Amino acid sequence: MKDFAGKIAFITGGASGAGLGQAKVFSKAGMKVAIADIRQDALDGAVGEIAAYSGAKGSDILAIKVDLTNREEYAAAADKIEEVFGGPPHLFIQTAGVNSFGPAEASTFDDYDWVMGVCLSAVVNGLVIFVPRIIKAYAGKTECHIAATSSWGGWIAGPTTAPYSAAKAAVNNLMESYYVALKPYGIGASALCPMNINTNIWETERHRPERFKNSGYNTTEDVIDLLKEHVSGGIDPLELAERFKRGIEAGQVFIVPYPNAYEIVSREQERVRNYTSPDGMAKEEAAEQFMIKMREAGAPVPEGIAVLEKKGPKVGFGKARTDIDWVDASRKFIGK
Ligand code: NAI
């Protein structure tokens, strides 16, 4: 999709962080922008921010409060967009998400249901609700695109990121499926796969709904503070949205928003290939031992996780809830 002006964008999670950055950038590109979020206070603040950034008039920005895991509410949001803007979105971006980290083996149903509910089931809801509307309104007539904000977490299998990584890997796969399926209709599809972004996701645990409160993870205020410090080193949401827009314009299925995207994805694919043979398993084991020795000898931790690796053990980041005493306490955030 290359022409945005005068068209309609719908961005979930558009009241904060990455979604807000996308709303600003596509509003500035001349689109009518609808945003959806579960937090009314965040929506109220976002509308003014978007208008101030893009210069759009108030009638071209629509804020809708919705819990995207609720199908009736999500379908009502789709109706609202058509009612106010006169049609479904030409650009549909599902960015809302939550995260929570802790040992896979300590994960509870609540951890899975909350994280996968928002990061995966809600994305499925959006696809089922919106894709038929988009095809009926625009196929063969004008350019359209659907996308989801996935994560680099979808390319890795982390010992402390199981629900999140599983959801994001599934989102990557879904976007590729829809890319193939929607091509004949002239509709593109992409998954945005960033690493660290400077957003408000560090405080998402504070908004975990009451019905999902039984977590197996250590989610203390100290852990939340550390996450804040970690994400503050991430890419700016506006810069990320600009890179995302360029990826959409180029029709990329996977938008890994870094200059070395090809190399870093290749490394993850090499790991998967290695896991398919005894020789490959030995190679991975040797690589792991090499990394351990390098770290012991003082090699720097990758920048993106340096804060977590340095301060995490002290505050119990990525650990199990303190009353769970059977989990390996030496667990690292990423890596075995
Ligand atoms: P954020 O917390 O600033 O924004 C996420 C928004 O989603 C929040 O406003 C929140 O209220 C909303 N939300 C959560 N549950 C919802 C629900 N059930 N219904 C409607 N809205 C809901 O976080 P951020 O970082 O902007 O997250 C956006 C996306 O970026 C997420 O999918 C996240 O997984 C992804 N991501 C974030 C990274 C980071 O380092 N911050 C890294 C890679 C991916």
Side-chain angles (χ1 to χ4, degrees), residues 20-333:
L20 179 56
Q22 292 158 4
K24 287 176 179 173
V25 163
F26 288 107
S27 175
K28 198 161 194 167
M31 302 190 84
K32 293 177 183 180
V33 171
I35 56 171
D37 207 284
I38 199 169
R39 295 179 300 129
Q40 186 64 53
D41 56 338
L43 283 166
D44 293 342
V47 171
E49 267 197 56
I50 297 166
Y53 180 80
S54 67
K57 49 184 199 289
S59 57
D60 284 346
I61 304 168
L62 173 66
I64 308 170
K65 183 177 181 299
V66 48
D67 178 351
L68 301 160
T69 64
N70 179 311
R71 289 176 178 158
E72 286 73 34
E73 282 186 30
Y74 207 160
D79 291 341
K80 182 84 185 167
I81 294 166
E82 293 192 22
E83 183 193 316
V84 175
F85 285 158
H90 302 83
L91 176 63
F92 172 42
I93 305 176
Q94 301 203 78
T95 291
V98 297
N99 66 18
S100 192
F101 302 119
E105 65 274 32
S107 306
T108 61
F109 287 128
D110 282 6
D111 292 321
Y112 275 104
D113 289 346
W114 180 47
V115 174
M116 296 189 81
V118 180
C119 292
L120 176 58
S121 303
V123 172
V124 170
N125 293 345
L127 293 171
V128 173
I129 292 167
F130 278 88
V131 167
R133 293 178 188 234
I134 294 170
I135 291 174
K136 286 180 207 166
Y138 305 125
K141 294 180 194 149
T142 187
E143 280 185 317
C144 296
H145 200 92
I146 64 164
T149 299
S150 176
S151 168
W152 181 249
W155 295 97
I156 60 167
T160 59
T161 64
Y164 187 75
S165 287
K168 297 299 188 179
V171 166
N172 287 351
N173 192 279
L174 272 172
M175 285 302 124
E176 192 175 354
S177 292
Y178 275 76
Y179 164 70
V180 179
L182 299 184
K183 211 172 173 190
Y185 301 95
I187 300 170
S190 306
L192 174 66
C193 307
M195 295 180 186
N196 202 9
I197 320 165
N198 186 5
T199 69
N200 300 309
I201 204 158
W202 54 272
E203 63 175 347
T204 195
E205 196 66 58
R206 291 189 184 141
H207 305 299
R208 187 192 273 243
E210 212 46 53
R211 65 187 188 282
F212 300 125
K213 283 282 187 194
N214 179 32
S215 175
Y217 308 151
N218 185 25
T219 56
T220 60
E221 285 298 313
D222 284 349
V223 166
I224 291 173
D225 284 348
L226 182 63
L227 264 177
K228 184 178 185 181
E229 190 180 341
H230 165 67
V231 298
S232 71
I235 185 173
D236 179 78
L238 276 174
E239 170 61 25
L240 178 63
E242 291 290 356
R243 294 185 196 183
F244 186 27
K245 181 166 169 277
R246 288 197 288 275
I248 290 172
E249 284 163 346
Q252 281 170 238
V253 180
F254 296 120
I255 302 172
V256 180
Y258 311 102
N260 58 344
Y262 187 86
E263 286 74 23
I264 54 183
V265 173
S266 298
R267 169 57 200 132
E268 301 308 330
Q269 291 180 328
E270 183 190 6
R271 170 180 52 79
V272 173
R273 283 198 302 275
N274 278 340
Y275 282 168
T276 64
S277 74
D279 278 359
M281 291 298 293
K283 271 189 209 158
E284 286 297 314
E285 184 60 29
E288 187 189 336
Q289 292 306 322
F290 178 72
M291 274 312 295
I292 291 170
K293 285 208 178 88
M294 293 284 284
R295 293 273 180 91
E296 283 168 358
V301 175
E303 204 183 319
I305 55 166
V307 172
L308 298 178
E309 290 267 307
K310 192 169 157 219
K311 300 187 180 171
K314 202 166 143 224
V315 299
F317 176 78
K319 307 285 184 207
R321 207 177 60 209
T322 47
D323 63 314
I324 298 178
D325 61 5
W326 46 266
V327 169
D328 177 2
S330 67
R331 169 77 70 249
K332 283 205 170 66
F333 173 52

